[in-house]
Amino acid sequence: MTPRKVISWLNLLMGALLLLVGVLHFMMLEHLTKFISSQLELNLEVEHYIVAIFKVNHIGSGVLVLLLGIMLIYLSSSGLSRGKKWGRNLAVLMGWGILLLSIILWLSVPRILLQAEAFKMALIFLSAVGVITVVPLLFFWKHFQEM
């Protein structure tokens, strides 16, 4: 198998895993509500408001992860598997973006969120997807020269 095909399959797998994480985002909404409620000692009205804000943010993040997964699958099947420059360039851009997002989240989220195992696992996964998307393309940059 050529490096181009291996990289294409790796990115296809990363896209499929992003789709899975996007679906898991929606399945974790109830857990998110319980986690937030257990951390707050506020009156009921304020708690509902805060939980609603977190739910909207969580749903938006889930949609974003689904879109990233779809884009990575498309790039893998249409661009990378055929050795296209545009596929390589967009995949590298997406990989750097995902990696940068994970680094920013690691550095900026309140420590209490890192106590949630699901959140910690999602950050580890996001970091891994960024690395697995970018690093092979950087090593085999010249294998993607077709217009």
Side-chain angles (χ1 to χ4, degrees):
M1 207 176 217
T2 66
R4 183 164 58 183
K5 292 292 182 190
V6 171
I7 291 170
S8 176
W9 277 102
L10 274 175
N11 280 284
L12 184 68
L13 177 65
M14 292 301 104
L17 290 174
L18 283 173
L19 287 178
L20 176 66
V21 169
V23 169
L24 288 175
H25 252 76
F26 298 111
M27 295 172 63
M28 294 296 290
L29 279 173
E30 186 62 34
H31 174 72
L32 177 72
T33 303
K34 289 177 186 174
F35 176 75
I36 293 169
S37 296
S38 71
Q39 300 298 318
L40 299 174
E41 293 183 17
L42 303 172
N43 66 38
L44 198 57
E45 185 178 313
V46 174
E47 184 176 320
H48 286 302
Y49 180 70
I50 291 173
V51 169
I53 291 171
F54 270 89
K55 277 186 173 182
V56 168
N57 185 19
H58 199 71
I59 290 169
S61 299
V63 169
L64 174 68
V65 172
L66 284 172
L67 288 173
L68 288 173
I70 291 168
M71 287 173 56
L72 205 50
I73 289 171
Y74 174 75
L75 285 172
S76 175
S77 61
S78 295
L80 295 177
S81 66
R82 296 182 183 146
K84 301 293 185 181
K85 276 185 176 181
W86 65 265
R88 174 202 62 199
N89 293 343
L90 287 175
V92 167
L93 184 64
M94 277 185 62
W96 281 121
I98 291 169
L99 192 55
L100 183 62
L101 173 65
S102 68
I103 291 169
I104 289 170
L105 287 173
W106 276 112
L107 296 175
S108 66
V109 298
R111 294 292 165 228
I112 195 166
L113 289 178
L114 293 176
Q115 291 176 3
E117 289 300 317
F119 187 76
K120 212 181 326 184
M121 286 173 40
L123 281 180
I124 291 168
F125 173 75
L126 203 57
S127 302
V129 168
V131 169
I132 292 170
T133 300
V134 169
V135 171
L137 286 167
L138 294 178
F139 279 113
F140 296 100
W141 188 263
K142 293 183 180 182
H143 289 264
F144 301 91
Q145 294 297 326
E146 295 179 27
M147 295 298 224

